[in-house]
Amino acid sequence: MTTDVIAPTRTRRAGFIGGGFMAAVHSRAARAARAELVGAASSTSGRAAAAAERLGLGAAYDSFEALLADPDIDVVHICTPNTTHARFARAALEAGKHVVCEKPLATTAADAVELVRLADERGLVAAVPFVYRFHPMVREARARVAAGETGRLLSVHGAYLQDWLSTPGDDDWRVDPALGGPSRAFADIGSHLVDLVEFVAGERIARLTASTSTAYAERADHVAVETEDLVALVVEFASGALGTLLVSQVAPGRKNALSIELAGTEASIRFEQERPDTLWVGRTAASSIIERDPARLDADAARLSLVPAGHPMGYQDAFNAFVADAYAAIDGARPDGLPVFADGLRAAQVTEAVLASAERRDWTEVPA
């Protein structure tokens, strides 16, 4: 695989299904990748028109079917509520479009399996934005672990903490299983945490035991809330390494506190998303902070470092890099670490294992 992103051989023409916050993030990334932003479809033609105007898209489609029927659109970005992802992704693939689908790819592993198969059969690029992989210092951590700098993996500690649902008055469509699916906190942000841990470690979780909690049974617009606010996991990797993971959307003061720490026989390594330009490397004799300096990083980390050391990079930069790599893959490149539908399937499988374990209160195997 190459670690270089190849410039597009022609201008990509992108369509967007959905017009909310994530559509704005996707459209900025597509524009940065020099795509032509053709238009949007949404739940109504009026919402599509509003999204097209707000996001600077070329047109508004009366329906997602009309968008998919446009022969000029190469790639479709799906930015809609969770339970619609599988239906829209399936329709886009059947229409011969490359797909960038928000996570979760599907709210059941069975649907995700079908989407992986369909993308493979059609020979289409199908990507899922596990974008935290695209922070340069995540790639640096991954390279150091792969090179043996940390030694044999012994333990992992990770957390993803947010506070945007921390009071009963806080609410969102994701609370409703009809829109968000059977899992909320884990499917929404825990999936990012597991993907990041497995990506950096180069190992997969083999089994887990989980406990979930719903802090508020009633919210502003929802009663009898069923989806979880918190998830705590103990995990065991295929190698025998152990880990603890905590996921919460009710942690006051924590805005997007995603962190992972891997401890091996030789060293520990820690990445924090809210401080994305540094890594902490711990050793028994001394510890150090590694700065994001392209001249001193692994090649895969350096190629994602678009600005010199000391100039901060963040979430949108990571998202832009993800979309650039997805578009490069459409042009025939093989960018290292691009998260595809198989990674979306992995997230669905882990999510189902978490829910099953929490219900049975027992260890659950995660499909390999």
Side-chain angles (χ1 to χ4, degrees), residues 163-171 175 184 213-220 222-230 249-252:
D163 71 354
W164 64 289
L165 289 171
S166 60
T167 76
D170 298 320
D171 213 333
V175 171
R184 177 172 27 103
S213 174
T214 301
Y216 302 111
E218 295 187 4
R219 291 187 173 272
H222 294 89
V223 297
V225 174
E226 300 175 6
T227 54
E228 79 280 356
D229 293 307
L230 296 138
Q249 293 178 322
V250 290

Side-chain angles (χ1 to χ4, degrees), residues 7-346:
T9 57
R10 66 182 179 87
T11 301
R12 287 290 157 201
R13 291 171 58 85
F16 300 82
I17 302 178
F21 166 74
M22 288 313 305
V25 174
H26 280 248
S27 66
R28 287 193 292 266
R31 187 174 284 113
R34 293 179 285 172
E36 179 182 347
L37 278 57
V38 177
S42 192
S43 56
T44 67
S45 57
R47 288 190 175 187
E53 180 178 1
R54 186 176 67 257
L55 303 178
L57 311 184
Y61 293 84
D62 289 336
S63 66
F64 82 90
E65 291 94 345
L67 184 149
L68 296 180
D70 187 339
D72 291 332
I73 290 179
D74 302 310
V75 56
V76 174
H77 291 250
I78 298 170
C79 313
T80 54
N82 300 349
T83 54
T84 67
H85 290 174
R87 176 165 61 97
F88 290 144
R90 185 182 304 110
L93 292 170
E94 290 174 343
K97 312 297 187 184
H98 303 285
V99 178
V100 178
C101 182
E102 260 304 318
K103 32 83 16 209
L105 172 62
T107 54
T108 70
D111 282 344
V113 167
E114 180 188 350
L115 293 172
V116 171
R117 177 190 57 77
L118 184 58
D120 288 345
E121 287 179 354
R122 300 298 175 96
L124 295 166
V125 172
V128 178
F130 287 115
V131 297
Y132 297 114
R133 295 183 179 195
F134 289 84
H135 284 297
M137 299 312 285
V138 166
R139 298 298 176 107
E140 181 68 14
R142 179 180 182 234
R144 288 171 179 253
V145 170
E149 184 174 326
T150 54
R152 177 170 57 88
L153 183 65
L154 298 177
S155 67
V156 170
H157 172 69
Y160 200 157
L161 310 177
Q162 296 178 335
D163 71 354
W164 64 289
L165 289 171
S166 60
T167 76
D170 298 320
D171 213 333
D172 186 78
W173 60 262
R174 292 171 178 83
V175 171
D176 184 356
L179 295 175
S183 171
R184 177 172 27 103
F186 191 83
D188 186 23
I189 59 176
S191 58
H192 276 299
L193 175 59
V194 169
D195 181 78
L196 196 62
V197 163
E198 293 188 337
F199 183 69
V200 172
E203 297 189 22
R204 285 196 162 184
I205 295 168
R207 56 201 299 263
L208 58 82
T209 181
S211 181
T212 63
S213 174
T214 301
Y216 302 111
E218 295 187 4
R219 291 187 173 272
D221 299 316
H222 294 89
V223 297
V225 174
E226 300 175 6
T227 54
E228 79 280 356
D229 293 307
L230 296 138
V231 186
L233 296 86
V234 177
V235 299
E236 182 178 332
F237 290 79
S239 66
L242 299 177
T244 59
L245 306 177
L246 179 63
V247 176
S248 174
Q249 293 178 322
V250 290
R254 294 298 186 182
K255 304 306 177 184
N256 203 52
L258 169 59
S259 63
I260 61 169
E261 184 171 322
L262 285 68
T265 53
E266 303 299 323
S268 299
I269 196 161
R270 180 179 180 84
F271 172 79
E272 299 180 16
Q273 193 275 156
E274 291 182 330
R275 299 173 178 82
D277 282 338
T278 61
L279 280 181
W280 175 82
V281 178
R283 293 183 174 84
T284 304
S287 299
S288 58
I289 300 295
I290 309 300
E291 304 280 352
R292 183 187 57 77
D293 183 348
R296 294 170 173 80
L297 298 180
D298 177 79
D300 196 31
R303 66 115 183 173
L304 295 173
S305 297
L306 303 182
V307 295
H311 297 72
M313 293 181 64
Y315 172 76
Q316 187 69 54
D317 296 300
F319 214 107
N320 291 1
F322 157 71
V323 169
D325 273 10
Y327 286 6
I330 293 172
D331 285 334
R334 299 181 63 201
D336 185 42
L338 177 67
V340 295
F341 274 17
D343 299 295
L345 168 59
R346 173 65 179 171

